[in-house]
Amino acid sequence: YTDGLARRCGRSLHSGQGRLRAAASEAPRDVRQDPERFCVYLLETCLGTSQPEPGEDDLVLLAARFE
């Protein structure tokens, strides 16, 4: 991820990282098994939407599944 996901207006990077970690650990198992669903879940949980407005801070999230 980039800091655009963790650091939002008025929030520190540290608190944003904590929010992101909490969201990742609380995701349902079936969501964690699918990288695309996992990314959507994290975006919706951390940002309130899976489609941020254009022009907002940079935002990149990558998830991979290894078997």
Side-chain angles (χ1 to χ4, degrees):
Y1 66 90
T2 63
D3 71 339
L5 180 60
R7 185 184 325 189
R8 305 308 293 168
C9 295
R11 294 188 177 150
S12 72
L13 179 60
H14 181 72
S15 69
Q17 288 172 325
R19 191 175 64 251
L20 181 57
R21 279 192 305 273
S25 67
E26 294 167 359
R29 182 181 172 95
D30 63 312
V31 171
R32 291 189 317 242
Q33 297 297 319
D34 181 337
E36 184 174 349
R37 287 181 62 203
F38 188 56
C39 286
V40 168
Y41 176 87
L42 292 175
L43 291 172
E44 289 176 346
T45 302
C46 294
L47 303 179
T49 180
S50 63
Q51 299 292 320
E53 292 294 320
E56 288 190 35
D57 197 3
D58 62 329
L59 197 137
V60 175
L61 180 62
L62 174 68
R65 180 174 174 199
F66 297 94
E67 295 183 15

